[in-house]
Amino acid sequence: MRSRTQYIPLNEAEAGMTLAAPLNVIQNRQTRFSLPAGHVLTADNLRQMAANRAEFIFIVEPDSRCDEDIALDTALVARRVMEIFSHADLSDPTAMALFDQILAYRNA
Amino acid sequence: MPIATVTQDEVIARTSGLPSFPRIVTEILASLDDPDCNLNDLSDCIVHDPVIAARVLSAANRAGNRTTGRAQTVSDVYTAASLIGLSHVRQISLLSSIGQFAQIAANECLPATYWTHSVAVGISAEELALHVTAPIQAEAALIAGLLHDVGQLWLFRFRAEAFAMARERACCRGVGLESAEQEQFDVDHARIGAWLAEHWNLPPGIVAGINEHHKAFPTTKFQLAPLVGIAEVLASALDLGGRSENKVTGISSDACKSLGLVFDKEIQPLFGRIEARSQHANRMFATGTSPTHAPR
């Protein structure tokens, strides 16, 4: 099954969600709490994260869109990103790298 | 030839028509370099501002509910601050106080998207400060980002008609707003904002960040200058702030290099944090707005 990733605030997190990236809560340069990528969150984890002042988490969830919807969404995203960058000189390597990463992020 | 020159003397003289700059901002800035600063110092300041106090209590109660799984009622700022932490209390205080300031400064008629854009750039600057290798204080970056367009707020309040004309001209000719302002007022909003920041005794790094946020090659030694400029580029690239006119016209390779910022796949989590936090902050710290004007 296809999946998609997104950042959500902790108050929108629910038990059963899967972490898309390792969670490391660092305070005063010390790791207070961590969970690995792929970990399925439990109610206890949510309480621990709150207690350790985690604010946002990166989750992966099933992508239930059909192929046509994905193609349409991808086209819309590409159009908007190109519109935003329409006045940028994309022969500049830094501008091009930013453009590429924004497009990749939007299609993740 | 400028149609209606704006001078530094006029900008400073008219600050008497603005609300006082929030004292809590300077208190927080002073505390950043004070190793002895603790939650009590900040809490003493917060208890005198009912709006900030209410927001801190609300955040603490939400955090308490998540931690214990049952409804909690934290009713004093000291307990609330210890529950959610110094950094979160500082963020709430800065967003809340500068948002209130902008709202009152605009005569309760804050231009649509002015604040949402400022929040997006503030959060982007704060996250960038935490991400890059250059040593930059995240709270200072948040303040510089929240205030980067404060010069536009001054023009909106005191030169509304001429400012609207400058905006119109920039839009029609497809040039940057700062160029149209320069023609109209012989100065742009970045410089006006820097004069205001100096007047409010904000640190030189924040003044430089506001002053040079449109410059492709910042000339100052302060790294907040390239950081705020890039933060605004990222906010536009991520289409934040609900602005249809979001545009990326370029990004300075030198500025990225000076901050140690590289755009490869490792940057994706940063984009995610900036977007999620910006949207969240704009929901939490929304101000009443007017749809008549949308800063670029």
Side-chain angles (χ1 to χ4, degrees):
Chain A
M1 178 178 275
R2 280 187 293 251
S3 60
R4 57 197 312 198
T5 54
Q6 65 168 322
Y7 265 85
I8 59 169
L10 188 58
N11 60 9
E12 291 176 15
E14 292 170 11
M17 286 179 166
T18 305
L19 287 180
L23 172 72
N24 293 302
V25 182
I26 298 167
Q27 279 172 11
N28 299 328
R29 295 179 187 165
Q30 288 186 337
T31 301
R32 291 180 55 135
F33 183 72
S34 64
L35 289 171
H39 179 81
V40 178
L41 296 174
T42 65
D44 268 351
N45 291 152
L46 295 177
R47 278 193 288 276
Q48 288 169 320
M49 288 191 287
N52 285 286
R53 298 170 184 163
E55 291 180 88
F56 290 86
I57 58 170
F58 197 23
I59 59 153
V60 58
E61 55 187 7
D63 186 353
S64 55
R65 295 174 300 169
C66 66
D67 289 345
E68 289 77 15
D69 285 348
I70 290 175
L72 183 62
D73 288 349
T74 305
L76 287 173
V77 160
R79 192 167 74 182
R80 180 62 183 141
V81 174
M82 287 174 82
E83 190 183 344
I84 289 170
F85 281 81
S86 59
H87 291 79
D89 173 12
L90 294 181
S91 65
D92 172 64
T94 308
M96 188 64 205
L98 174 62
F99 174 83
D100 281 344
Q101 290 307 319
I102 291 285
L103 204 53
Y105 171 71
R106 286 286 170 230
N107 286 319
Chain B
M1 172 75 80
I3 297 168
T5 304
V6 170
T7 64
Q8 183 172 8
D9 287 345
E10 182 195 355
V11 170
I12 302 308
R14 285 185 182 257
T15 54
S16 59
L18 295 176
S20 301
F21 189 70
R23 189 173 66 93
I24 198 163
V25 175
T26 41
E27 295 274 347
I28 287 173
L29 280 166
S31 73
L32 295 178
D33 294 321
D34 177 4
D36 297 325
C37 170
N38 58 40
L39 276 172
N40 284 346
D41 298 329
L42 191 52
S43 301
D44 286 342
C45 216
I46 290 168
V47 291
H48 297 296
D49 187 318
V51 176
I52 298 176
R55 282 178 162 151
V56 169
L57 289 175
S58 170
N61 281 316
R62 282 197 306 276
N65 294 350
R66 285 198 299 268
T67 306
T68 62
R70 60 179 189 277
Q72 288 218 330
T73 310
V74 177
S75 55
D76 73 280
V77 168
Y78 302 96
T79 308
S82 62
L83 197 60
I84 61 178
L86 190 55
S87 154
H88 196 174
V89 172
R90 282 173 172 157
Q91 284 167 8
I92 291 172
S93 304
L94 292 172
L95 281 156
S96 193
S97 60
I98 295 176
Q100 287 176 66
F101 170 80
Q103 174 75 4
I104 299 168
N107 258 350
E108 301 295 332
C109 191
L110 190 63
T113 73
Y114 172 86
W115 181 241
T116 52
H117 174 66
S118 298
V119 169
V121 176
I123 297 288
S124 177
E126 185 184 24
E127 285 292 343
L128 265 174
L130 294 167
H131 176 85
V132 298
T133 49
I136 301 172
Q137 286 172 326
E139 288 87 351
L142 175 61
I143 295 168
L146 290 174
L147 291 173
H148 80 286
D149 275 344
V150 73
Q152 286 194 43
L153 198 60
W154 189 95
L155 288 169
F156 173 77
R157 172 71 184 266
F158 298 113
R159 294 292 186 94
E161 218 168 290
F163 184 42
M165 283 166 58
R167 294 185 53 75
E168 184 69 25
R169 206 161 48 245
C171 193
C172 290
R173 290 174 17 197
V175 297
L177 176 60
E178 60 280 11
S179 305
E181 289 168 343
Q182 194 70 45
E183 286 178 18
Q184 183 88 21
F185 304 113
D186 204 20
V187 68
D188 65 14
H189 68 266
R191 190 77 196 109
I192 293 173
W195 287 337
L196 291 168
E198 274 175 344
H199 178 68
W200 293 324
N201 289 321
L202 293 177
I206 292 178
V207 174
I210 295 169
N211 191 31
E212 305 214 355
H213 74 267
H214 282 298
K215 288 191 181 165
F217 304 102
T219 52
T220 164
K221 64 178 180 179
F222 298 106
Q223 290 194 297
L224 267 177
L227 185 110
V228 175
I230 291 173
E232 186 164 38
V233 170
L234 292 189
S236 294
L238 288 164
D239 208 7
L240 302 178
R243 304 188 324 155
S244 57
E245 73 272 29
N246 273 332
K247 286 274 187 294
V248 172
T249 53
I251 184 162
S252 165
S253 305
D254 287 347
C256 292
K257 200 172 171 184
S258 75
L259 295 170
L261 184 65
V262 179
F263 293 111
D264 57 20
K265 66 179 183 179
E266 305 299 322
I267 202 85
Q268 304 271 327
L270 175 69
F271 291 167
R273 285 196 302 276
I274 291 173
E275 183 170 46
R277 285 198 56 213
S278 170
Q279 289 169 350
H280 184 68
N282 266 316
R283 283 197 299 271
M284 296 291 291
F285 298 94
T287 60
T289 59
S290 154
T292 55
H293 159 105
R296 295 152 69 96

